């Protein structure tokens, strides 16, 4: 694996922070707000999106030279839709409870802007392996943000992590309350905003 | 970018669609057993939940055996229909039949020495199907517990029918009035009625779901009247 220089890992590592799909490319915000009340569904959602971005990038990059340009969007959509249905079916079979919590949002992965954005921007112009890495990287980048938001929201909104009670009962006796505002979608937007702010403040590259 | 002929485009898209269809059919076929097992588990969990028994997916079978004595199918005249199983009965189809010909599923349960009947109900909400289970006490009049669920009611509004808070309101409500007439349980706007045995609070913002639920209870439980009067113990 020596010939795998750092340049070749770039498609995988860049989207994690520097070109994060949510905070930098500002894609896929809608589902980031909807499924981040609890950690578990957020992680399952992130995993599903990663699988779909990875494999749709791989498939589209493999057949990119045979796709007629005038129907390329339709071809991309068919591949994405098929993968999303497969993921949905797998969830229904193996993670029924979580799939019920995610309900319509699994189906809505089809409309997640990250996926088609990456297909158009990367997979249509690159070889299958880098495209696959790019897909996985973007999925993980999305996952990191989802997990962070869900961590904050579950901890302060429900006093638990992965459904385990963390805040001891004694705290509540002293008048501590779970913040029910954090459960609501607008608070997720604010948390995402704060993450973007922190990231922007730390990034040296300032585009002018 | 190369220019492709129309023929190629048609060929390419047909091949792609066929390939995708094959992949999807394969996934669906190979997973359908597991999926229907999950649905069955959930159905049993919901029946148990109407009795106030919580069960985990892995031990639902043993819990179900422990509480549910038997499931049966009855006719509108209250007699038992032989050779039918309540699990396989398609309630949706039955509801389309004339009242006299309907077959009705029913489960008899025992908990802490008392007998209950659990009746699955099915109806329409605002956006799609809603369904649930109603557990009745031995007098076939008092509601012991309920569960409701839905396919896609508005999140935060109509979807609240599957919350404990909404479902617990039904406890101790009565289906029959003092003169033994079937009145079911109505779902009304809070504050618009004086508290009584036949009314619970509707969901604010979920008016149409609440109305659908009220209709579901009425049409779902009414056909059982004859059975109730034959089997009630005071």
């Amino acid at each position: 694996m020596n010939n795998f220089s750092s340049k070749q890992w770039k498609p995988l590592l860049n989207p994690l922070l520097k070109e994060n799909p949510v905070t930098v490319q500002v894609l896929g915000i809608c589902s980031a707000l909807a499924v981040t009340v609890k950690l578990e569904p957020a992680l399952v959602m992130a995993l599903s999106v990663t699988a779909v971005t990875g494999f749709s990038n791989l498939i589209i990059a493999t057949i990119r030279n045979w796709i007629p340009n005038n129907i390329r969007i339709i071809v991309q959509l068919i591949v994405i839709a098929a993968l999303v249905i497969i993921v949905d079916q797998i969830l229904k079979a193996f993670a029924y409870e979580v799939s019920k919590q995610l309900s319509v949002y699994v189906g809505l992965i089809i409309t997640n802007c990250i996926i088609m954005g990456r297909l158009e921007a990367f997979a249509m112009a690159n070889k299958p392996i880098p495209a696959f890495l790019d897909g996985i990287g973007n999925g993980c980048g999305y996952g990191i943000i989802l997990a962070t938001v869900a961590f904050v929201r579950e901890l302060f909104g429900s006093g638990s992590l992965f459904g385990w009670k963390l805040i001891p009962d004694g705290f509540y006796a002293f008048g501590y309350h779970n913040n029910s505002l954090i459960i609501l979608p607008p608070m997720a937007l604010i948390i995402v905003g704060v993450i973007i702010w922190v990231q922007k403040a730390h990034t040296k590259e300032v585009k002018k | 970018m190369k220019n492709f002929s129309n023929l190629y485009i048609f060929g390419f898209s047909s091949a792609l669609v066929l390939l995708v269809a094959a992949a999807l059919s394969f996934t669906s076929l190979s997973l359908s057993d597991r999926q229907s097992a999950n649905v069955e588990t959930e159905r049993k969990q919901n029946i148990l939940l109407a009795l106030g028994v919580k069960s985990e997916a892995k031990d639902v079978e043993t819990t179900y055996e422990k509480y549910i004595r038997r499931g049966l199918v009855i006719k509108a005249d209250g007699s038992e229909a032989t050779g039918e199983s309540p699990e396989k009965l398609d309630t949706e189809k039955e509801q389309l039949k004339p009242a006299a010909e309907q077959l009705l599923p029913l489960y008899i349960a025992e908990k802490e020495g008392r007998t209950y009947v659990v009746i699955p109900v099915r109806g329409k909400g605002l956006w799609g199907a809603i369904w649930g289970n109603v557990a009745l006490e031995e007098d076939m009049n008092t509601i012991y517990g309920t569960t409701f669920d839905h396919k896609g009611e508005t999140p935060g509004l109509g979807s609240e029918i599957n919350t404990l808070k909404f479902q617990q309101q039904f406890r101790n409500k009565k289906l029959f009035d003092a003169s033994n007439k079937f009145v079911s349980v109505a779902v009304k706007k809070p504050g618009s009625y004086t508290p009584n045995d036949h009314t619970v609070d509707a969901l604010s913002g979920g008016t149409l779901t609440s109305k659908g639920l009220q209709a579901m209870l009425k049409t779902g439980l009414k056909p059982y009247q004859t059975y109730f009067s034959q089997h009630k113990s005071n």
Side-chain angles (χ1 to χ4, degrees):
Chain A
M1 296 293 265
N2 277 336
N3 49 359
F4 246 75
S5 64
S6 67
K7 193 178 160 232
Q8 273 146 319
W9 286 112
K10 240 175 128 178
L12 180 67
L13 299 176
N14 260 3
L16 291 186
L17 204 64
K18 220 164 88 189
E19 286 163 21
N20 189 290
V22 184
T23 58
V24 179
Q25 305 175 51
V26 200
L27 298 172
I29 294 281
C30 12
S31 54
L33 309 187
V35 297
T36 49
V37 175
K38 295 257 157 73
L39 257 175
E40 196 189 356
L43 288 184
V44 174
M45 182 73 180
L47 208 67
S48 311
V49 171
T50 308
V52 176
T53 45
F55 286 101
S56 63
N57 264 11
L58 178 68
I59 293 170
I60 292 294
T62 313
I63 61 172
R64 70 186 188 284
N65 290 330
W66 297 295
I67 301 176
N69 198 31
N70 29 6
I71 59 163
R72 68 175 200 285
I73 302 279
I74 302 173
V75 172
Q76 292 167 6
L77 261 183
I78 291 174
V79 171
I80 298 169
L83 285 169
V84 168
I85 294 171
I86 291 175
V87 165
D88 190 29
Q89 296 281 328
I90 291 175
L91 284 183
K92 278 197 180 120
F94 296 100
Y96 189 69
E97 283 299 309
V98 181
S99 91
K100 269 187 68 185
Q101 280 178 43
L102 290 173
S103 66
V104 295
Y105 295 107
V106 177
L108 286 179
I109 295 178
I110 297 174
T111 61
N112 192 318
C113 331
I114 296 173
I115 301 168
M116 226 158 155
R118 292 326 292 171
L119 289 183
E120 275 288 285
F122 200 89
M124 287 301 285
N126 284 283
K127 291 206 174 94
I129 299 293
F132 181 66
L133 292 180
D134 177 78
I136 298 288
N138 274 283
C140 292
Y142 170 80
I144 291 174
I145 302 301
L146 238 64
T148 319
V149 177
F151 178 85
V152 176
R153 290 182 80 188
E154 191 176 351
L155 184 62
F156 295 106
S158 315
S160 60
L161 285 177
F162 289 107
W164 290 93
K165 273 254 159 286
L166 273 191
I167 312 267
D169 288 337
F171 275 47
Y172 292 101
F174 276 109
Y176 175 84
H177 282 288
N178 286 325
N179 189 338
S180 40
L181 185 64
I182 285 201
I183 308 265
L184 301 173
M187 210 50 206
L189 192 63
I190 293 172
I191 298 172
V192 172
V194 170
I195 295 174
I196 295 179
W197 172 34
V198 171
Q199 192 185 347
K200 287 262 157 87
H202 273 84
T203 317
K204 299 255 157 66
E205 290 172 83
V206 183
K207 284 179 197 156
K208 286 224 168 147
Chain B
M1 201 53 84
K2 273 183 280 181
N3 259 327
F4 293 95
S5 70
N6 282 348
L7 194 67
Y8 175 85
I9 294 179
F10 276 113
F12 181 86
S13 30
S14 312
L16 181 77
V17 168
L18 279 178
L19 214 68
V20 166
L24 289 184
S25 327
F26 175 75
T27 332
S28 169
L29 279 178
S30 46
L31 294 175
S32 68
D33 280 351
R34 274 196 85 101
Q35 290 170 354
S36 40
N38 283 335
V39 173
E40 177 65 13
T41 305
E42 196 199 6
R43 195 184 61 82
K44 287 184 172 169
Q45 278 177 318
N46 278 335
I47 290 178
L48 288 171
L49 210 58
L51 292 163
V53 179
K54 271 201 175 151
S55 54
E56 293 288 320
K58 57 182 187 299
D59 52 38
V60 67
E61 288 298 327
T62 44
T63 325
Y64 191 78
E65 299 268 299
K66 188 177 157 201
Y67 289 101
I68 307 296
R69 287 289 154 268
R70 67 194 195 106
L72 63 157
V73 173
I74 58 163
K75 296 181 196 156
D77 63 3
S79 65
E80 193 177 337
T82 46
E84 298 275 352
S85 87
E87 288 88 8
K88 296 205 177 82
L89 203 66
D90 188 342
T91 341
E92 244 172 302
K93 263 191 197 155
E94 293 299 325
Q95 282 178 349
L96 295 174
K97 289 186 190 171
E101 290 167 34
Q102 276 186 26
L103 291 175
L104 310 159
L106 180 81
Y107 299 89
I108 295 176
E110 210 176 292
K111 187 188 165 193
E112 288 146 14
R114 294 176 67 94
T115 311
Y116 301 94
V117 291
V118 183
I119 296 162
V121 283
R122 210 182 156 79
K124 297 189 194 81
L126 171 60
W127 304 114
I130 53 174
W131 58 88
N133 294 287
V134 179
L136 295 177
E137 291 190 22
E138 276 169 335
D139 64 1
M140 305 277 166
N141 181 12
T142 312
I143 293 178
Y144 178 69
T146 57
T147 57
F148 300 112
D149 213 342
H150 61 97
K151 186 153 190 282
E153 297 306 298
T154 324
L157 302 173
S159 77
E160 302 283 301
I161 57 168
N162 63 13
T163 56
L164 214 56
K165 191 177 162 224
F166 179 73
Q167 292 164 8
Q168 275 173 346
Q169 294 185 88
F170 286 86
R171 178 122 201 216
N172 291 330
K173 296 290 170 191
K174 311 257 195 252
L175 295 180
F176 295 89
D177 67 8
S179 57
N180 221 0
K181 197 171 149 266
F182 180 79
V183 287
S184 184
V185 177
V187 186
K188 283 191 184 153
K189 182 178 171 181
S192 73
Y193 63 95
T194 43
N196 59 53
D197 278 349
H198 305 288
T199 319
V200 296
D201 284 357
L203 298 158
S204 56
T207 309
L208 289 172
T209 309
S210 304
K211 283 195 173 143
L213 192 124
Q214 175 179 321
M216 165 172 90
L217 288 179
K218 194 152 192 177
T219 49
L221 297 173
K222 202 166 187 222
Y224 289 86
Q225 273 185 95
T226 328
Y227 179 88
F228 289 162
S229 56
Q230 286 165 0
H231 291 80
K232 69 178 169 193
S233 57
N234 292 317

